[in-house]
Each structure stands twice: as C-alpha cells, then as structure tokens.
Amino acid sequence: MKWGIKILPREVLLDTQGRAVQDYLNQNSQGVNQCRIGKYIVLDLKQTDAAESKKKAIEITEQTLLNPLIETYTIESL
Amino acid sequence: MKVGVVTFPGTNCDQDVVKMTQAHGYEVVPLWHKDRFDINSVKMVIVPGGFSYGDYLRCGALAARSPVMASVKDLAKTGRPVLGICNGFQILCETGLLPGVLVRNDHGHFIDKWTVIETVNSTSHFSKSDKKKLRLPVAHGEGRFYADKPELDKIEEQGQVWFRYAENINGSLNNIAGVMNKEKNVAALMPHPERALFDWMGGSDGFKFI
C-alpha cells in the first residue's frame, strides 16, 4: 500500500526556502502573502492490511521522517 | 586512553579529529557507521563534523538512526563521555541524547569564519583549558540552535548550556553554541576545536579540548 506524507516546517520557524521563493514571486508582483516549502514523501509498504499499513506508515513517519520539534505532517492513502 | 571516532558517509572532519585525539596523546579507535561496537573497547566517543548521509532528510537524521549510534547511546548511558562537533552536534540532537535541534541559520547563508564562544557551564570531560572565552572556527549552514520555550527554559535551568556565542552569528536562541545532557557526559558544540590546535592553524584555543 502507498502512503503520501506531507511534511511542513512549523510556522514559528523561519522557512528560508519559502521566504526566498516568496520574495522572488513578490518582486514580480505576484501578491503572495506567504509561501512555505516542505516535502512530500511517498512510502510503498509491504503490508496489505490497510489499518496495519497505516499504523506502520505513521510509525515510520514519527520515528524517522519527522522531527516534531520543527515539523508537522499529514498522511494520505494513495 | 582509547577514543572512538565515528565516520559516516559524508563525514569530512574525522581525520582532523583523529589528529586532535592523537595530539592529546590518546589512541584512536575508528568506528564505522554500519557497525555496532563493544562499548567497553573505548573510554570516549567523538562524533565529528561533515555532511553525514549528504544531510538527506534532515541534518543528522539518518546518522542518528545508524547502528554505530545505537552503541554510542549505550555507551552514553554508562556515563562515559561523548563529544559532538558541528554535524556531530546535529546527530546527537537527532538521537535524543541532547535537547533541541539545529536549523538553518537565520540569515540563510553558510558561515565560515572564526568566532568567540564563552563557557557558561563546564563539564569535567571536555574543554579543559582555563580560558573562559575560546576563539574557534565555525563552518555551518544549519547551526541555529532551536528548542521550544519550555524546553529552552529547562536547558537553562538545568545548567545544560555549555557555550554561548559572544556575537550571535546564526540566530541561535539564547546565543547557544553548545549544550550538554543533564548528566554532562554528552556535550556538543557547533564550532570546530579540532581546527584550532596550534598557532599555525590560526589559533590554539582548541587544544586541551578533550
């Protein structure tokens, strides 16, 4: 089963990539209030049981893919 | 004394740390990232700087979950000293041995220069010179120390701040340049003492660091 994990830097942190892109867009008068850049990870897991597979995807995300001090995530089935 | 020096793919300061260790008269035990090791084979471990695993995912994230670091965690539990330098600091934070995290410098630039740090709380294991202020080189893009407010307050209250920058060069909260665990046997800093051992290197404040 495939899972998509969307990870974004927490709002309190300076997102330097997001700020650079935002500044660039606004130099070209694009009217951007805020641009934040995170990452999207696709996990293809061996488990076929949906509940077990989701549990595993969350475990991998929380133990490795994410640092909760600086990031938040959402997960979706693909 | 036998000192373990860890090497990951992308570590680039391990040989400098080997030279520093030998300059202090200690024997070096090379530790490879894929291997667990006998924690009784070394008295101290140093996690050097560089770009372990290419800084993929987050700085230090993959290195922190490698087999060698499982042994380093076991060794730290026994009270033996563990030192992290630069990327080693990022790795020790990711393992949870040290509090907080290192994020991108607030100005967005990589900095490579000499800077002055001040000792706030000392540990008997490292930085044994009598000098309170040390002039050491830094070279990092992600060296801004960050922790949320309750964690930061706890770090301050428990005397876990090891060094502060005299001038805040990267936006680190509370000017923090180095922290320790509560027991003070695991300690790390962003500047590079191994690059400042002798005067011909531009400064010798890194001598007597281990």
Side-chain angles (χ1 to χ4, degrees):
Chain A
M1 282 197 72
K2 283 190 180 177
W3 300 94
I5 298 121
K6 187 172 71 184
I7 296 175
L8 274 176
R10 284 189 184 274
E11 292 256 13
V12 292
L13 279 170
L14 175 66
D15 166 15
T16 45
Q17 276 195 86
R19 189 182 61 175
V21 173
Q22 180 183 322
D23 289 350
Y24 162 75
L25 292 171
N26 283 334
Q27 275 166 23
N28 293 286
S29 308
Q30 300 294 313
V32 177
N33 285 328
Q34 191 189 31
C35 170
R36 292 166 65 221
I37 296 182
K39 53 192 141 196
Y40 192 84
I41 299 171
V42 176
L43 279 183
D44 188 352
L45 300 182
K46 283 179 182 160
Q47 280 99 334
T48 46
D49 178 75
E52 280 302 306
S53 181
K54 185 170 187 182
K55 207 172 127 194
K56 189 72 189 165
I58 289 173
E59 183 191 314
I60 291 171
T61 301
E62 294 185 348
Q63 289 183 4
T64 303
L65 303 181
L66 182 87
N67 184 335
L69 283 174
I70 51 172
E71 296 163 325
T72 58
Y73 79 97
T74 53
I75 188 165
E76 62 184 352
S77 167
L78 297 179
Chain B
M1 183 169 81
K2 288 186 177 179
V3 177
V5 177
V6 184
T7 301
F8 301 96
T11 299
N12 60 16
C13 299
D14 48 343
Q15 289 310 306
D16 297 26
V17 167
V18 164
K19 299 259 188 223
M20 170 170 79
T21 307
Q22 289 167 341
H24 287 76
Y26 304 138
E27 190 185 331
V28 172
V29 178
L31 302 173
W32 183 235
H33 71 113
K34 280 186 177 171
D35 302 329
R36 291 200 61 144
F37 61 92
D38 173 10
I39 58 168
N40 294 314
S41 64
V42 291
K43 290 273 186 242
M44 176 195 292
V45 167
I46 304 178
V47 188
F51 299 86
S52 56
Y53 298 92
D55 278 352
Y56 293 167
L57 195 63
R58 296 177 305 277
C59 296
L62 299 179
R65 290 153 179 87
S66 63
V68 74
M69 289 308 293
S71 295
V72 171
K73 281 200 253 185
D74 290 344
L75 177 127
K77 274 186 221 151
T78 69
R80 262 169 280 179
V82 177
L83 172 67
I85 301 169
C86 198
N87 185 224
F89 188 179
Q90 296 164 336
I91 294 167
L92 291 173
C93 287
E94 279 279 348
T95 60
L97 285 170
L98 290 177
V101 61
L102 284 309
V103 296
R104 187 156 298 277
N105 300 340
D106 63 348
H107 42 68
H109 301 290
F110 188 93
I111 38 171
D112 180 8
K113 63 177 191 175
W114 289 77
T115 193
V116 174
I117 56 171
E118 296 170 357
T119 310
V120 182
N121 297 288
S122 52
T123 161
S124 60
H125 299 293
F126 306 114
S127 193
K128 296 169 183 170
S129 119
D130 297 331
K131 286 185 175 176
K132 193 107 174 116
K133 286 188 180 183
L134 302 174
R135 189 176 153 273
L136 297 174
V138 285
H140 59 246
E142 300 190 35
R144 178 182 181 241
F145 185 79
Y146 174 83
D148 60 16
K149 183 78 169 69
E151 183 78 27
L152 194 64
D153 289 347
K154 209 166 91 184
I155 293 167
E156 292 283 354
E157 281 160 23
Q158 293 183 159
Q160 289 176 250
V161 178
W162 192 14
F163 295 109
R164 288 192 215 279
Y165 296 106
E167 172 206 353
N168 198 339
I169 53 171
N170 54 20
S172 280
L173 297 186
N174 295 12
N175 287 23
I176 289 173
V179 295
M180 300 181 273
N181 64 347
K182 222 168 78 182
E183 296 76 19
K184 299 193 175 178
N185 67 310
V186 181
L189 75 169
M190 285 313 291
H192 288 268
E194 80 281 12
R195 295 185 190 176
L197 297 180
F198 309 108
D199 288 336
W200 61 262
M201 297 169 101
S204 58
D205 286 359
F207 205 74
K208 288 194 184 171
F209 206 84
I210 54 173

